[in-house]
Amino acid sequence: MDEGKAIKRALYVTKVKNLECYDENFSRIYFGCEFCQRLLPSVKNLQQVLEFVSEKNLDFTFITPYVTNDGLKKLDALLQIIENNNPGSEVVFNDWGVFNLLGEKYKNLEPVMGRLLNKMKRGPRLKDLMGIMPQSTADYFRTCSLDSPLYRKFLADNGIKRVELDNLLQGIDLDLGDSAINTSLYVPYAFITTTRLCLAISCDVSGKEDEIGIFPCKEECQKYTFQHVHSIMPVPLISRGNTMFFKNENIPSEDILAKNHVDRIVIEPDVPV
Amino acid sequence: MNILAPIDKIDDVEDVIKAGANELYCGVVSDEWLDRYTIAAINRRPANICNLKSFIALKEVANIAHSYNALVSLTLNEHYYTQDQYPLLLEYIKKAIDSGVDSFIIADLNLIFALKDANIETSINVSTGISVFNSETVKFLQKLGVQKVIFDRHLTIGEVREICQNVTDIEKCVFIFNSRCPNVDGLCTFDHIQTAETSFKNACMLPYTVSLYSETSAQKDSKSEVIADDKALVALKRQKLWTRLHMDDVPCGACALYDFEEMGIDCVKIVGRGNEIKRKINDVKFIRMLLTLLQDKTISRNDYIKQTQAFYKYVYRLPCRTAMCYYPEVRSI
């Protein structure tokens, strides 16, 4: 990363209505969903966002979830629209199958490795353990495979120039060497875990409290958000739909951001499900 | 169809193979690793009880297994390893190869690159930790030289079938018994610490206090609370499902074996590193008996499922329960 390069801000919306959070400090819009293929946007909503982006002369990033073959088909149709209307857009992939599809079919879209794929541990219990671990163990929890030259070579060979990161409670300390990879930091919601055995499905139907499976849903996730508190967790866990998050609003210092090649902060105005 | 079963002691090997397993998987604890990386495990099971104690033991395991024509996979399935860990990791891998393992179960793409870089040709089996949900992921892994994929637990039978129809020339494995993880294994970043301290048990099953969340109620020292109506009260109860139920209360996917046989699944995986040997034998025998039942090509799908459910109740003294069913849609297909 160039020394002293200004950090840009992107607004991450999962719904069109959240575009109302846009202001002139943002240079890019992230749109889509990382966690559930059932929440992939409709063609109409995608077009609305693309129009907004074009009107305001903003950059665009489409953000995608892990998907089954069915989800891949839906995604394929959306990617086609983006490539036709906004070539050069970024696509954040959180599934190696989506990455494969991008490489095979969408040469005019820029692949970005999503935060679900860096695998860094986010369990909040770790925060209070950092001081009592051996240094080599603590170091492990602040980094990931990105510090391997082999992994960075794979990314470079496949045209991946950007990697997405969560704002970990235990801190981030990547060793990216002299690589040209840039990173984005998501604030304030960091994902912890996700499931297809979604606890929101039929969640308010009496008699189904102990049923769990990959069943049809009515997007109950859009109705309820929960907070989970336990004395061992230094922060509350927030769950919406099939995913659990914690909130961390403390953006690291400029030095730390620069060391980790962070040149973009992705602002989540709402829990991103 | 092969049965991939866990072992953690030399004494397990013959018993588990005789019960019907064709492939074994296991881990080895290394004191050097534990000293340096403590809870940053090498194979997602840091506890001693889940692992062989040495490479000498691993060699003996491989010798016994090979004498029965069974294969041995070593778990190297941590979600990621860092550059700092590679010297020790590659040393560990060389010892494993010298011990005679047939394959590695791997969850980190970079480890696949590292094996290729070191010209190591041991067969690579991709763990559920890489999260295979679709046929494009399988095709991607094939390009990397992977021989076998273990699909994610969170797929329906129909979704597994669709992947199988779209890929060739790779072994395919599905979960069939034990540990129905509440979350997607490869996308779960909770720490897997194993300790006697109850607060450090699986974070997905801790007894949380759950309430409705809003930005205002989340403010520190906030007195405001979102009031739950009757429906929300039911939803709050649902959120505590994994506190009421244990993911290891004998979850089973055996009814789906009929479909898996039909779609050409090569191998079914039983979870259970660290389980007592009696349990390991029981689980393998249960699945083997059902695979034997499927050799009768005249059995109908309905009859197979009825017999499987009756057999499960008989062996485990438990009814079938949706929450403990890997493939609950099986009854509606």
Side-chain angles (χ1 to χ4, degrees), chain B residues 31 51-52 68 89 120-121 133 136 218 225 270 285 299:
Chain B
D31 289 339
N51 288 284
L52 297 170
Y68 286 92
L89 185 60
I120 292 169
E121 291 177 353
F133 284 109
E136 286 296 315
E225 196 181 313
I270 297 173
K285 275 187 177 168
I299 192 167

Side-chain angles (χ1 to χ4, degrees), chain A residues 82-83 86-90 102 105-111:
Chain A
I82 298 166
E83 190 169 60
N86 230 33
S89 294
E90 290 180 348
L102 287 167
K105 216 173 150 184
Y106 295 100
K107 307 285 184 199
N108 294 317
L109 297 175
E110 292 242 348

Side-chain angles (χ1 to χ4, degrees), chain A residues 110-162:
Chain A
E110 292 242 348
V112 173
M113 192 179 101
R115 59 176 161 170
L116 276 68
L117 295 181
N118 69 47
K119 308 294 178 105
M120 295 174 86
K121 304 289 181 197
R122 278 90 154 175
R125 287 184 296 197
L126 282 175
K127 181 179 179 243
D128 293 339
L129 296 176
M130 294 303 276
I132 55 172
M133 291 175 191
Q135 191 58 43
S136 45
T137 311
D139 291 346
Y140 172 86
F141 289 114
R142 292 191 177 108
T143 184
C144 62
S145 302
L146 278 171
D147 67 358
S148 159
L150 276 178
Y151 199 70
R152 295 199 299 266
K153 180 179 182 312
F154 162 78
L155 298 179
D157 290 349
N158 287 281
I160 302 166
K161 298 175 196 147
R162 175 172 297 280

